[in-house]
Amino acid sequence: MRTFPLLIGGVAVPAASGATYESVDPFTGQAWVQVPDGGAVDIDRAVRAARAALNGPWGQLTATARGKLLWRLSEIIGREAENLADLEVRDGGKLLREMSGQMASLPDYYRYFAGMADKLEGSVIPSDKPNFLIYTKHEPVGVVGAITPWNSPLLLLTWKLAAGLAAGCTFVIKPSDHTPASTLAFARLFEEAGFPPGVVNVVTGWGPETGAALAAHPGVDKIAFTGSTETGIKVGQAALASMTRLTLELGGKSAQVVFPDADLDAAANGVIAGVFAATGQTCLAGSRLLVHESVAEELVAKIVARASTIVVGDPHDPATEMGPVSNEQQYQKVLSHFASARADGATIAYGAEPVAELGGFFVKPTILTDVTPEMRAVAEEVFGPVLVVLTFADEDEAVAMANGTEFGLAGSVWTKDVHRAHRVAGNLRAGTIWINSYRAVSPSVPFGGMGSSGIGRENGIDAVKDFTETKAIWVELTGDTRDPFTLG
Ligand code: NAD
């Protein structure tokens, strides 16, 4: 069995307690890797190492030097992309064809933010008072605790790391307990790129212990969390107790809104991409189809026809289109949604059962019709390949239905009417809207949620600033003294 150590202060170490745990390959159902079961002591060591790097060699580097290191890292990641993809497939069960693409895209994020490092300019503010020079600086927020989920471990980590390192921060990373391997392997690349020890530290372990210790550590200046809304609230409360800065990238229940003039073949393809790619285990899953009643039957027939041909199986096989659910806990959750949809009286247009012949954690792509908003499968994030279909009579109803959720991560509008496309996109309450498309992301485009989908944005030109504190500096220019009892 493969083993990986923690990385703390540039040194590969076991957990202080010596404890380890095994991570399971969801395709085989067998343990395949052994990693340290780090605890609060390891988190504390890692936070101290990150602080020492910040106050030491990393903090001394110019922004241009940081950008060069990020660029060098991007080249090394490019070389290692296939190895990293393989680790992510073994640990998380996602398709090799998807993870190869994700890993191949990582260098673009580090290059984008490498270029931003020395363009993080402050400003000189015209003074409303005589004889002052006033300017601002963007200083690194400090030590960042990054807590990541299992569905796209390195991509979602990169959404934090690339911008945060460009800003001059240091990191302690707690990957998901389900997918620890790729992050432990990835962290070793920083030394080769020339980063000083302690800039990037990784402690693996369980969420409620190791993750909670990081979120509550008073030496952490910012928590960048991606995961479920439930955990995000706990992490947020722990962080706030020590006034730690916070971004939360949380769950979703995104709507794909299809108008009668849409290209229904394209829409069907977009719906398949939105909810069945990655076995539906994606925060931005377009899991609610809202379709105009006049085309609902035709569109659902197209989606059912395509869903019934989806190849479910070995995630390493290039022909596979849907791999297993990533872990047993999540598999049980998806099965419970099948049961409650039946009990609630939804019509099973397709699926809602395990793929018996494959065993393991495989389920069929699932399409539920005749549903109502209060049904569990409609109201809750499933985080699995489950589409619910609702119909609307007009645009106002469509917008009200789309916005009738606590979440606000993403959504789409399918129509050929350019006026309606932009009008509806403007009226949907979500952080990302695609028009006649779905499931595209980029280093240069902000991503994040409204409502219960989170707080803050990752990526895009402003993301680096979110890893800084803005400092205003006032310089008195005359050397004279002032009335000490007035506010200047
Ligand atoms: P999760 O909330 O169970 O776990 C996320 C991370 O938090 C893991 O590393 C876990 O170990 C840790 N954790 C668990 N309990 C903790 C605690 N009490 N204190 C601190 N850390 C703790 O989420 P998951 O099941 O790994 O991931 C799936 C969820 O992530 C879904 O809800 C999905 O929508 C969301 N997600 C959001 C985005 C986004 O960008 N908005 C992207 C991907 C996934």
Side-chain angles (χ1 to χ4, degrees), residues 148-151 174 177 207 211 226-228 231 249-251 283 381 383:
T148 51
W150 45 261
N151 61 320
K174 210 301 280 174
D177 22 279
T226 301
S228 62
T231 308
E249 295 285 353
L250 309 176
C283 55
E381 180 188 47
F383 219 59

Side-chain angles (χ1 to χ4, degrees), residues 146-152 156 159-160 174-179 205-215 225-232 234-235 238 248-252 281-284 327 329-330 333 381 383 407 409 447-449 453-454 458:
I147 304 177
T148 51
W150 45 261
N151 61 320
S152 289
L156 297 171
W159 289 10
K160 302 163 188 11
K174 210 301 280 174
S176 167
D177 22 279
H178 296 296
T179 52
W206 302 103
E209 292 85 32
T210 321
L214 181 57
F225 173 85
T226 301
S228 62
T229 300
E230 193 187 351
T231 308
K234 289 184 199 153
V235 166
L248 297 172
E249 295 285 353
L250 309 176
Q281 301 170 121
T282 159
C283 55
L284 47 77
N327 56 70
Q329 193 186 336
Q330 185 61 26
K333 184 177 163 200
E381 180 188 47
F383 219 59
F407 296 108
L409 192 59
F447 185 85
S453 290
E458 293 182 327

Side-chain angles (χ1 to χ4, degrees), residues 62-74:
T62 62
T64 306
R66 290 199 304 269
K68 284 182 181 166
L69 288 178
L70 283 166
W71 193 276
R72 204 176 305 153
L73 178 70
S74 77

Side-chain angles (χ1 to χ4, degrees), residues 90-130:
R90 292 296 307 270
D91 237 3
K94 280 181 106 174
L95 299 188
L96 183 59
R97 79 199 231 191
E98 166 151 21
M99 298 327 265
S100 294
Q102 273 193 18
M103 294 306 105
S105 79
L106 295 188
D108 292 339
Y109 287 87
Y110 291 95
R111 281 194 286 267
Y112 178 80
F113 287 106
M116 305 270 285
D118 58 6
K119 291 159 199 76
L120 191 59
E121 297 174 354
S123 57
V124 175
I125 299 171
S127 177
D128 65 338
K129 297 165 183 38

Side-chain angles (χ1 to χ4, degrees), residues 247-302:
T247 53
L248 297 172
E249 295 285 353
L250 309 176
K253 193 75 188 178
S254 301
Q256 298 230 43
V257 185
V258 183
F259 287 95
D261 65 332
D263 175 338
L264 293 188
D265 287 324
N269 192 62
V271 171
I272 296 280
V275 70
F276 298 140
T279 316
Q281 301 170 121
T282 159
C283 55
L284 47 77
S287 50
R288 288 186 301 147
L289 169 60
L290 311 185
V291 53
H292 190 267
E293 56 198 15
S294 66
V295 292
E297 201 175 318
E298 185 183 353
L299 181 62
V300 170
K302 286 177 188 290

